[in-house]
Amino acid sequence: LVDAPLWHPEGGSSSFRPILIANERCKGCGLCIDACQPAALALDQTTVNAMGHHPVVLVHPEACTSCAKCARMCPDAALTVFARPREA
């Protein structure tokens, strides 16, 4: 698993990663990329998973709105989306 959500110790969201990707389950079909309106996802051309596919990667975490359209489109349930922490 990559891109685990992280929270800043003081409660800020500067290091928040909104999507958890199970890259070993990803078959690189690109459906999640097509569903992502802010274009926050891309195929990782530098990585090949155990199935021989380029998995998806979160390239623009700041653009992600946590809408979960990507996760709903994924036929392999390789994406988990987290809501952004509320600002104080």
Side-chain angles (χ1 to χ4, degrees), residues 61-80:
E62 71 285 350
C64 179
T65 62
S66 297
C67 69
K69 289 180 183 176
C70 58
R72 289 193 301 269
M73 290 301 295
C74 183
D76 299 306
L79 303 169
T80 303

Side-chain angles (χ1 to χ4, degrees), residues 1-8 15-21 58 80-85:
L1 297 176
V2 295
D3 294 334
L6 301 173
W7 286 270
H8 192 270
S15 61
F16 176 71
R17 304 290 288 186
I19 300 176
L20 180 67
I21 302 168
L58 181 63
T80 303
V81 180
F82 298 91
R84 292 191 172 276

Side-chain angles (χ1 to χ4, degrees), residues 7 44 56 64 71 87:
W7 286 270
D44 185 353
V56 71
C64 179
E87 296 298 324

